[in-house]
């Protein structure tokens, strides 16, 4: 993101200060503490996980090498394929909603009034709550008969939809709770992007008698395009790792329709004790996130070039 | 010289004082499910005042701690059934000393050598297997040794709102509820119930539920003599018998003879609020429901509460699925004091099994089940039969909780119409077999 | 903002529609929380008999008294503070050191190492969880504070952020100091570190919130109730909903659990907002 800056800073000073920037072993000491932790608790587990995924291993005994068997079993398992689909479906439900509602709120609340400040506080406040509190709140909203939703529907004499047990609604129910929980960050990011737009452009537009819609379309939106992409990518990567909401609200049901990949990993490794296959599923998750990260890299690259 | 002596004397005195509390109290890590209810029973040591699983287990442990000031009992309450956590604890070498384990799950941990055989320890405190009921002894014994102190045996029951049954005309001349004798009769009575009361016959917790489905299926497979686990490594679910059971529950679902979107707690609340005739729930709520029915103004107080075993709907064996709770002890290096403390704890629960049986569970001790005191508890006359009806899965079947999840998921999908019955049964069979083949 | 206020002045139909929509969304945000608070103020038995009683008197604070008397919620909150606070402090220290090292200093293999760290950004926590759980078992780190802190400390995000930030600081600043024979560490400590406070705030807040909300790792690592963090503790009470404790009690517990972080948020709102915005600008 800051590549242009890096480049200039690097080139500008190298020539005259070669002595300062000569490679020195003791400089390594600055990065050593972090690299140790990084190697021990991220790199090593990553490779250890790959090793496990080629083994028939359970929680209490590391087993024998079985090559790609765990992967073959995974892709023969309808539930695993279902969980991949569920994860994408969840991302599809939440990310556009988060981006669009976040943008909408930012546009509406980007003003220096007291009420706007209060509302900004309100919309960000849910983001600081733990996932377990969020799910507790939303289970109480959805619970039949005594939930908030059924109270509201009951007020109008209707029966509330069963958000957590209806096969068509369960994932939507989880998505709604998630949007409620996560809406703060996109809104904040958009707000700060909006404040970066130079005022004089707006003043010029006002002189041109541009109406609000035209201003929005030709000035505001183009100026925050980058932020929009940023928000979408952050949210894709984050929502892809869905676990807590699904586990605590539906346990992955009904009929595995709300079981995301991470929950599948949990089921396999910690409930069925099949560490090897759980590790194999983890590697698939890693590959999928890697693709998203590569897409991000290429996308931001292209933007920078253009 | 004297100064040095004084110095050492002070130091050692301080050391003794510092150390003595830890010598005095042997600490026991106890882990259990059955819920948390500290607000009501957190300090209660009068067990007779407690009601329900949570209240009684909490009070029993409080009583044990009060009786044994030299033992510090540190209780962790886990969400039911707690096996994810227990597995993680065993994996990390941090297992509790004493932990609740279902008889059906004992062999998972026992087969990995994680549990301590209890025969010798129990003998030292005077508890011998011949005191257990046959069902409890069978459930707690693996490879010829006792691996859990049995607490109870439990099964599922028909919990009946008699007020609604009267309204539906489903009461015999002698005042007992009219229960079906075949699947057809069940559907007919449910229809009659719905016509007369406008409410569903069944209150079931079907929302994201697996255990209830599975227990229902096992029970009616037993009643058709379907030996689906003839081979403990290979199950047969894709059978005409299983299809009959699933189709029966599907008919109940399709014809709105049951509540549909309730979770476990919701179903309890709905039943207590009088929103249906029969709740399918375990032995563990008998005590709670009976207490409710004695309170004026409640739905169960209006026409009464009755409780029966699952009706015999098929012509095979008279049986229904059963399981039991035990206290298991993790294998660990322990001081003699710690082992003795564990023995005392187990002995206490063996001695107080009557109190536990007030929950509605079947006692695990012959002396209790035969006692007049137990027989005099409310409703025990109608549910006494479960002592002979109860039938677990073969004990060699491993990962019974994981299997329960698979069976329940597939049956739920079939019952609610998300999958054709045949497909669901085929998937159920192949998924369970895939699991068992890869243990 | 001048032009904006000019826009607002004309209260058209469209304005009112937007205003209505925002208020609707605000209600959707606040409604569930208010409902939970209302439930927490009701007697459990009354709720069982009539759920609608939540909307009218009598209210009671009994559930809160019970929570204070019997619940473990305080120790959960404390654990969460220790874990999230510890992780934040350590992350700031390690990331700043490493960020300075990667951005300003040269040592053999620097660029290759930095690329490897960047690749670490793409590793989701869940992908290494199983292996990590085994490794922590070998090391006997489960059910300890280090066991809860170390995994988060390996995240590459902080190093990436700090490196970018150090690179953006003009080199002339530290070159002058180094030519004055100040040690590298002194330059880092006295000259550059004070300039990175905004980045530290951003990183600190994201790290703290991330650790505060983490659920999966504590779920499988903190299995003793003494070590439960807030997320795991609250979750452990949820499954037996209403069965034993009563809805009102559970809700009171949730309010207790949510309150500290909300209060912190309200107090430090300004900084948090600036910090979060800081992440977007770059």
């Amino acid at each position: 993101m800051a590549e242009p800056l890096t480049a200039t800073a690097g080139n500008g000073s190298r020539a005259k200060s070669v002595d300062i920037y000569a490679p020195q072993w003791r400089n390594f000491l600055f990065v050593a503490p972090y690299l140790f932790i990084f190697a021990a608790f991220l790199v090593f587990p990553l490779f250890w996980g790959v090793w496990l995924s080629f083994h028939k291993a359970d929680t209490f005994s590391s087993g024998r090498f079985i090559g790609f068997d765990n992967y073959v079993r995974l892709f023969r398992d309808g539930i695993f394929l279902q969980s991949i689909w569920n994860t994408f479906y969840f991302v599809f439900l939440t990310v556009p909603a988060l981006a669009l509602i976040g943008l909408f709120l930012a546009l509406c609340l980007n003003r220096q009034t007291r009420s706007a400040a209060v509302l900004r506080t309100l919309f960000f406040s849910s983001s600081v709550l733990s996932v377990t509190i969020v799910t507790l709140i939303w289970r109480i909203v959805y619970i039949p008969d005594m939930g908030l939703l059924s109270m509201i529907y009951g007020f109008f004499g209707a029966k509330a939809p069963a958000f957590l047990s209806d096969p068509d609604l369960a994932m939507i129910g989880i998505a709604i709770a998630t949007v409620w929980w996560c809406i703060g960050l996109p809104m904040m990011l958009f707000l700060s992007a909006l404040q970066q737009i130079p005022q004089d452009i707006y003043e010029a537009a006002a002189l041109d008698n541009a109406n609000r819609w035209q201003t929005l379309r030709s000035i505001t939106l183009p100026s925050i395009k980058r932020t929009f992409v940023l928000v979408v990518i952050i949210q894709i990567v984050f929502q892809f790792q869905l676990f807590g909401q699904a586990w605590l609200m539906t346990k992955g049901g009904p009929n595995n329709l709300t079981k995301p990949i991470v929950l599948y990993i949990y089921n396999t490794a910690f409930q069925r004790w099949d560490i090897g296959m759980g590790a194999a599923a983890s590697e698939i998750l890693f590959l999928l996130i890697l693709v998203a990260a590569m897409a991000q890299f290429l996308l931001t690259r292209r933007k920078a070039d253009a | 010289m004297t100064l040095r002596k004084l110095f050492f004397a002070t130091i050692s005195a301080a050391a003794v004082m510092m150390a003595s509390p830890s010598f005095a109290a042997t600490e026991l890590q106890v882990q259990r499910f059955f819920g948390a209810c500290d607000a009501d029973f957190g300090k209660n040591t009068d067990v007779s005042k407690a009601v329900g699983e949570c209240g009684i287990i909490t009070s029993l442990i409080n009583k044990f701690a009060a009786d044994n000031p030299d033992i510090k009992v540190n209780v962790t309450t886990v969400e039911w059934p707690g096996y994810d956590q227990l597995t993680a604890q065993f994996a990390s070498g941090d297992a509790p000393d004493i932990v609740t384990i279902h008889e059906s799950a004992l062999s998972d941990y026992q087969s990995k050598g994680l549990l301590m055989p209890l025969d010798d320890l129990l003998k030292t405190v005077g508890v011998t297997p011949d005191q257990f009921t046959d069902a409890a002894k069978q459930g707690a014994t693996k490879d010829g040794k006792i691996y859990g102190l049995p607490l109870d045996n439990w099964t599922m029951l028909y919990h009946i709102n008699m007020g609604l049954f009267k309204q539906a005309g489903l009461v015999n001349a002698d005042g007992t509820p009219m229960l079906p004798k075949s699947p057809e009769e069940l559907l007919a009575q449910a229809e009659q119930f719905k016509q007369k009361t406008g409410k569903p016959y069944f209150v079931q917790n079907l929302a994201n539920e697996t255990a209830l489905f599975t227990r229902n299926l096992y029970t009616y497979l037993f009643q058709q003599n379907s030996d689906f686990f003839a081979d403990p490594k290979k199950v047969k679910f894709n059978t005409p018998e299983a299809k009959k059971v699933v189709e029966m529950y599907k008919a109940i679902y399709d014809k709105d003879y049951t509540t549909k979107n309730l979770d476990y707690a919701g179903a309890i609340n709905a039943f207590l609020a009088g929103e249906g005739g029969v709740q399918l729930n375990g032995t563990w709520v008998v005590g709670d429901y009976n207490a409710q029915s004695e309170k004026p103004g409640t739905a169960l107080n209006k026409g009464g509460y009755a409780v029966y075993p699952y009706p015999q709907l098929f012509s095979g064996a008279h049986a229904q699925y059963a399981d039991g709770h035990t206290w298991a002890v993790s294998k660990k290096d322990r001081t003699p004091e710690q082992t003795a403390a564990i023995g005392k704890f187990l002995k206490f629960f063996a001695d107080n099994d009557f109190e536990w049986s007030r929950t509605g569970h079947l006692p695990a001790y012959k002396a209790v089940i035969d006692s007049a005191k137990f027989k005099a508890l409310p409703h025990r006359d109608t549910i006494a039969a479960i002592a002979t009806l109860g039938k677990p899965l073969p004990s060699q079947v491993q990962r019974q909780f994981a299997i329960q999840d698979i069976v329940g998921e597939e049956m739920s999908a079939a019952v609610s119409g998300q999958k054709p019955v045949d497909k669901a049964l085929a998937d159920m069979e192949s998924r369970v077999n895939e699991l068992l083949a890869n243990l | 903002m001048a032009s904006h206020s000019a826009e607002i002045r004309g209260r058209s139909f469209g304005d009112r529609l937007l205003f209505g929509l925002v208020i609707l969304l605000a209600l959707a945000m606040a409604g569930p929380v208010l409902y939970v608070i209302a439930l927490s103020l009701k007697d459990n038995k009354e709720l069982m008999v009539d759920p609608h009683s939540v909307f009218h008197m009598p209210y009671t604070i009994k559930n809160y008294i019970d929570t204070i008397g019997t619940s473990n919620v305080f120790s959960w909150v404390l654990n969460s503070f220790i874990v999230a606070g510890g992780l934040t402090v350590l992350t700031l220290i390690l990331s700043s050191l490493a960020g300075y090292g990667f951005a300003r200093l040269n040592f053999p293999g620097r660029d290759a190492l930095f690329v490897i760290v960047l690749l670490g950004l793409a590793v989701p926590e869940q992908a290494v969880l199983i292996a990590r759980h085994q490794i922590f078992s070998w090391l006997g780190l489960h059910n300890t504070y280090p066991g809860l802190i170390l995994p988060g400390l390996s995240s590459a995000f902080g190093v990436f952020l700090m490196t970018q930030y150090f690179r953006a600081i003009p080199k002339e600043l530290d070159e002058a100091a180094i030519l004055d024979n100040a040690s590298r560490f002194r330059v880092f400590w006295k000259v550059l570190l004070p300039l990175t406070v905004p980045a530290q705030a951003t990183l600190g807040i994201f790290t703290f919130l991330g650790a505060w909300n983490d659920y999966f790792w504590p779920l499988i690592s903190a299995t003793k109730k003494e070590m439960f963090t807030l997320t795991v503790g609250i979750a452990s009470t949820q499954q037996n909903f209403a069965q034993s404790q009563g809805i009102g009690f559970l809700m009171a517990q949730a309010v207790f659990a949510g309150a500290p972080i909300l209060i912190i948020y309200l107090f430090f709102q300004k900084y948090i907002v600036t910090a979060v915005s800081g992440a977007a600008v770059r």
Side-chain angles (χ1 to χ4, degrees), chain C residues 23-58:
Chain C
I23 292 300
L24 210 68
L25 285 172
L27 280 178
M29 287 306 286
V33 175
L34 295 178
Y35 188 64
V36 163
I37 294 174
L39 283 172
S40 74
L41 292 169
K42 289 300 293 185
D43 179 67
N44 290 317
K45 297 202 175 72
E46 199 188 347
L47 277 180
M48 278 269 262
V49 179
D50 175 20
H52 287 89
S53 67
V54 62
F55 295 116
H56 55 70
M57 296 286 274

Side-chain angles (χ1 to χ4, degrees), chain B residues 393-428:
Chain B
L393 291 190
S395 72
Q396 302 92 318
V397 179
Q398 295 209 10
R399 302 293 187 282
Q400 290 190 26
F401 273 76
I403 293 172
Q404 169 175 290
D405 282 342
I406 296 174
V407 172
E409 273 170 25
E410 295 297 341
M411 181 160 165
S412 159
V415 165
S416 60
Q418 294 174 63
K419 252 189 200 181
V421 175
D422 290 318
K423 173 97 170 68
L425 288 171
D427 287 355
M428 189 189 286

Side-chain angles (χ1 to χ4, degrees), chain B residues 373-384:
Chain B
K373 205 162 57 158
F374 172 70
K375 285 178 183 155
L377 288 171
H379 305 296
R380 293 315 186 275
D381 51 336
T382 56
I383 58 172

Side-chain angles (χ1 to χ4, degrees), chain B residues 215-292:
Chain B
R215 293 165 188 165
N216 288 347
L217 178 64
Y218 290 171
T219 291
Y220 287 119
L221 286 177
F222 288 151
Q223 290 195 3
Q224 297 180 73
N225 294 335
S226 165
D227 197 3
F228 52 102
F229 258 122
D231 176 355
K233 282 272 190 183
K234 200 163 176 16
V235 75
K236 279 206 176 75
F237 283 128
N238 205 355
T239 57
E241 289 86 3
K243 193 170 177 183
K244 253 190 223 168
V245 181
V246 176
E247 279 177 342
M248 176 178 84
Y249 279 100
K250 185 166 165 49
I252 291 167
Y253 186 91
D254 289 345
K255 293 180 179 157
D256 287 326
Y257 298 153
T258 178
T259 57
K260 292 181 178 172
N261 294 318
L262 301 176
D263 61 8
Y264 181 72
I268 291 180
N269 287 336
F271 179 67
L272 292 178
E275 286 173 22
V278 177
Q279 199 212 353
L280 300 183
N281 204 343
T283 43
W284 51 87
V285 284
V286 173
D288 281 319
Y289 288 0
N290 185 62
Q292 276 285 314

Side-chain angles (χ1 to χ4, degrees), chain B residues 267-389:
Chain B
I268 291 180
N269 287 336
F271 179 67
L272 292 178
E275 286 173 22
V278 177
Q279 199 212 353
L280 300 183
N281 204 343
T283 43
W284 51 87
V285 284
V286 173
D288 281 319
Y289 288 0
N290 185 62
Q292 276 285 314
S293 72
E294 285 167 358
K295 266 189 219 152
T298 61
L300 287 182
N301 185 254
K302 237 181 269 167
Y305 159 66
V307 54
Y308 283 83
Y310 270 38
Q312 184 77 24
L313 296 180
F314 296 95
S315 55
H318 286 234
Q320 61 177 72
Y321 176 70
D323 194 352
H325 299 121
T326 72
W327 283 121
V329 179
S330 63
K331 204 179 250 175
K332 229 189 240 181
D333 289 330
R334 291 192 179 88
T335 64
E337 289 82 14
Q338 282 169 323
T339 310
I342 291 172
K344 264 190 189 169
F345 186 89
L346 297 180
K347 164 87 171 146
F348 177 83
F349 272 86
D351 288 347
N352 284 282
D353 200 50
F354 167 73
E355 296 293 348
W356 182 243
S357 75
R358 291 197 294 110
T359 54
H361 289 308
L362 215 53
Y365 299 82
K366 284 180 192 156
V368 179
I369 207 166
D370 293 336
S371 69
K373 205 162 57 158
F374 172 70
K375 285 178 183 155
L377 288 171
H379 305 296
R380 293 315 186 275
D381 51 336
T382 56
I383 58 172
I386 57 176
T388 50
L389 290 175

Side-chain angles (χ1 to χ4, degrees), chain A residues 39-97:
Chain A
F41 300 119
L42 196 81
V43 179
F44 178 60
L46 189 65
F47 286 104
W48 182 248
V50 174
W51 188 89
L52 275 176
S53 76
F54 291 116
H55 283 73
K56 168 111 216 69
D58 79 24
T59 315
F60 301 106
S61 50
S62 48
R64 62 203 153 75
F65 181 80
I66 52 164
F68 281 94
D69 275 13
N70 283 326
Y71 291 91
V72 172
R73 277 176 69 204
L74 268 185
F75 283 100
R76 282 205 192 127
D77 185 355
I79 310 297
F80 180 66
L81 301 176
Q82 173 83 45
S83 77
I84 295 182
W85 161 250
N86 291 341
T87 311
F88 277 101
Y89 179 50
F90 177 76
V91 168
F92 170 77
L93 284 176
T94 49
V95 173

